Amino acid sequence: MQAGKPILYSYFRSSCSWRVRIALALKGINYETVPINLIKDGGQQFSEEFQTLNPMKQVPALKIDGITIGQSLAIIEYLEETRPTPRLLPQDPKKRASVRMISDLIAGGIQPLQNLSVLKQVGTENQLSWAQNVICSGFDALEQILHGTAGKFCVGDEVSMADLCLVPQVANADRFKVDLNPYPTIRRINKTLLALEAFQVSHPCRQPDTPAELRA
Amino acid sequence: MQAGKPILYSYFRSSCSWRVRIALALKGINYETVPINLIKDGGQQFSEEFQTLNPMKQVPALKIDGITIGQSLAIIEYLEETRPTPRLLPQDPKKRASVRMISDLIAGGIQPLQNLSVLKQVGTENQLSWAQNVICSGFDALEQILHGTAGKFCVGDEVSMADLCLVPQVANADRFKVDLNPYPTIRRINKTLLALEAFQVSHPCRQPDTPAELRA
């Protein structure tokens, strides 16, 4: 391992990890992946070693510049402040507000309500409908917001932190068999983003810990 | 109404609204409150009028500088960028990362899992234990993180966005009868913050829409 190379604690399928992987790819930051399998061994995030590193027992966590940061948006904001090129937040404060509003809507209002630990508590038979309700309710709002903010991407014509949240959330929606037809703007932007290299190299199907049968 | 005065759509008991009220108070920003009662009329946040304003159907929302922003942390970041004094994010990027990590832990990892709409779905008999589990799990992590970051407040000795998230979440913990004894650092910081004027004037017991029997 090269000294000083950032280490990303990640799980291939974690949508929050994917957000950070896109940011690292866009900014051209070399890093090492340490896979944390959220299923195996009852969840490797619960190991004593990992808890010391990230008391939240969640991925992603990024070791960088001598600190360890948890929470995907906090990581992305740190990368933005210390490695500003290319920018993931627009210069105009009002547009930055739109980017953060969309990011928080997904990262705080959708994803946490359909993640693994909540679904476990909801019980096997209710999981699918629970996740679908949560995602549809969030996407209803998001589609409407995007009508006011979107250009080529979520906010205008530059890729921003909001787009880093959108694509992994749409992938989750696919996994939970959500009908995306009511969300033409979300679908269009998602498709455009998935064509970009940074979104491809960071994709769950191409990670060091992606199981062979899910590789593409 | 004074032209240009910001309008905060708020509910006295909403912990996310309280975060923003503290920010507005600390920064000395005059604003008008429009109460949105989350219980009355089946929830005033579901009215067509409010949905047009905030498709997320949630409080808070802030109308300011000709735009409307939803999501409390996006609002606070916007206020910080446009009204930087006093600062709610430290200057050092590493400390800013700590502030955002703690804020996101509460705003994304605790609050959304114990808010009204989720508790409704969980069912009356499970609500209390669900909320307690969510809060304790988050506070376990938070207490440990604070051992590394806290001074007088959550991160060092200056009030930050993290503190704006902490106090309302502790109030929620109280409402759900969470035993706070395992969290001495959280308790100490919360107590110190509650002595500050900005945290008092923004308190749920002192809002225009606070019912008479809950006023203090």
Side-chain angles (χ1 to χ4, degrees):
Chain A
M1 188 193 320
Q2 186 191 317
K5 205 173 178 183
I7 298 175
L8 179 67
Y9 299 83
S10 168
Y11 179 55
F12 75 103
R13 188 128 74 183
S14 147
S15 62
C16 305
S17 299
W18 190 4
R19 292 174 199 151
V20 175
R21 294 196 302 256
I22 305 168
L24 291 163
L26 283 169
K27 288 181 179 289
I29 302 168
N30 265 318
Y31 66 98
E32 177 130 350
T33 299
V34 173
I36 301 295
N37 192 311
L38 303 187
I39 313 284
K40 217 172 114 182
D41 313 328
Q44 295 176 341
Q45 72 277 25
F46 300 118
S47 76
E48 209 167 304
E49 193 189 344
F50 187 71
Q51 280 190 49
T52 309
L53 196 83
N54 185 10
M56 290 170 272
K57 302 175 230 171
Q58 290 171 337
V59 288
L62 185 69
K63 223 184 221 179
I64 190 168
D65 302 339
I67 57 171
T68 303
I69 315 174
Q71 299 292 345
S72 60
L73 298 189
I75 296 171
I76 295 168
E77 294 264 8
Y78 178 79
L79 294 176
E80 181 72 0
E81 292 185 343
T82 55
R83 281 93 171 155
T85 313
R87 55 165 61 251
L88 297 177
L89 286 168
Q91 268 187 299
D92 172 32
K94 292 181 185 178
K95 287 193 181 153
R96 293 164 77 88
S98 291
V99 169
R100 289 195 175 109
M101 177 172 65
I102 293 169
S103 303
D104 288 349
L105 164 59
I106 296 172
I110 304 179
Q111 194 283 329
L113 297 170
Q114 50 95 86
N115 81 354
L116 198 60
S117 62
V118 171
L119 292 183
K120 265 188 205 160
Q121 289 182 69
V122 167
T124 317
E125 65 209 67
N126 301 319
Q127 284 181 358
L128 195 67
S129 63
W130 174 285
Q132 287 175 341
N133 286 341
V134 163
I135 294 171
C136 289
S137 159
F139 277 11
D140 286 347
L142 183 56
E143 178 73 17
Q144 201 178 323
I145 290 169
L146 290 173
H147 291 169
T149 63
K152 195 172 165 191
F153 302 116
C154 282
V155 179
D157 295 324
E158 304 294 331
V159 173
S160 75
M161 182 164 70
D163 300 299
L164 278 51
C165 296
L166 183 77
V167 167
Q169 186 58 58
V170 173
N172 280 351
D174 278 336
R175 280 180 63 205
F176 291 119
K177 305 185 174 70
V178 171
D179 174 17
L180 291 175
N181 282 313
Y183 313 112
T185 317
I186 291 175
R187 287 175 63 201
R188 170 181 66 75
I189 297 171
N190 182 62
K191 198 179 161 191
T192 309
L193 288 162
L194 277 174
L196 304 178
E197 201 199 342
F199 288 75
Q200 291 176 358
V201 298
S202 60
H203 196 282
C205 71
R206 288 175 64 181
Q207 297 313 299
D209 57 332
T210 309
E213 66 275 19
L214 297 176
R215 290 198 161 270
Chain B
M1 190 192 319
Q2 185 191 316
K5 204 173 180 183
I7 299 175
L8 179 67
Y9 299 84
S10 167
Y11 179 54
F12 75 102
R13 187 128 73 181
S14 146
S15 63
C16 305
S17 299
W18 191 3
R19 294 175 197 150
V20 175
R21 294 195 303 256
I22 304 167
L24 291 163
L26 282 168
K27 287 179 179 290
I29 301 167
N30 265 317
Y31 66 99
E32 177 130 349
T33 299
V34 173
I36 303 293
N37 192 310
L38 303 187
I39 312 284
K40 216 171 115 183
D41 312 329
Q44 295 175 341
Q45 73 276 24
F46 301 118
S47 77
E48 210 167 305
E49 193 190 344
F50 187 71
Q51 279 190 48
T52 309
L53 196 84
N54 185 10
M56 289 171 272
K57 303 173 227 170
Q58 291 173 337
V59 289
L62 185 69
K63 225 184 219 177
I64 189 167
D65 301 339
I67 56 170
T68 303
I69 316 174
Q71 300 291 344
S72 60
L73 299 189
I75 296 171
I76 295 168
E77 293 264 8
Y78 178 79
L79 294 176
E80 181 73 1
E81 292 185 343
T82 56
R83 282 95 171 152
T85 312
R87 55 167 59 253
L88 297 177
L89 286 167
Q91 269 187 298
D92 172 32
K94 292 181 186 179
K95 286 193 181 153
R96 292 163 78 88
S98 292
V99 169
R100 290 195 175 109
M101 176 171 67
I102 293 169
S103 302
D104 289 349
L105 164 60
I106 296 171
I110 304 179
Q111 194 282 329
L113 296 170
Q114 51 96 86
N115 82 352
L116 199 58
S117 62
V118 171
L119 292 183
K120 265 187 205 162
Q121 289 182 69
V122 168
T124 316
E125 67 210 64
N126 301 318
Q127 284 183 358
L128 194 68
S129 64
W130 173 286
Q132 287 175 342
N133 285 341
V134 163
I135 294 171
C136 289
S137 160
F139 277 11
D140 286 346
L142 183 55
E143 178 73 18
Q144 200 178 323
I145 290 169
L146 290 172
H147 291 170
T149 63
K152 195 172 165 193
F153 302 115
C154 282
V155 178
D157 295 324
E158 304 295 329
V159 173
S160 75
M161 181 164 72
D163 300 299
L164 277 52
C165 296
L166 182 77
V167 168
Q169 187 58 57
V170 173
N172 280 351
D174 277 336
R175 280 180 62 206
F176 292 118
K177 305 183 174 72
V178 170
D179 174 16
L180 291 175
N181 281 315
Y183 313 113
T185 316
I186 292 175
R187 287 175 64 199
R188 169 181 66 75
I189 298 171
N190 182 63
K191 199 179 160 191
T192 309
L193 288 162
L194 278 173
L196 304 178
E197 201 198 344
F199 289 74
Q200 291 177 356
V201 297
S202 60
H203 196 282
C205 72
R206 289 176 64 180
Q207 297 313 299
D209 57 333
T210 309
E213 67 274 20
L214 297 175
R215 290 198 162 271

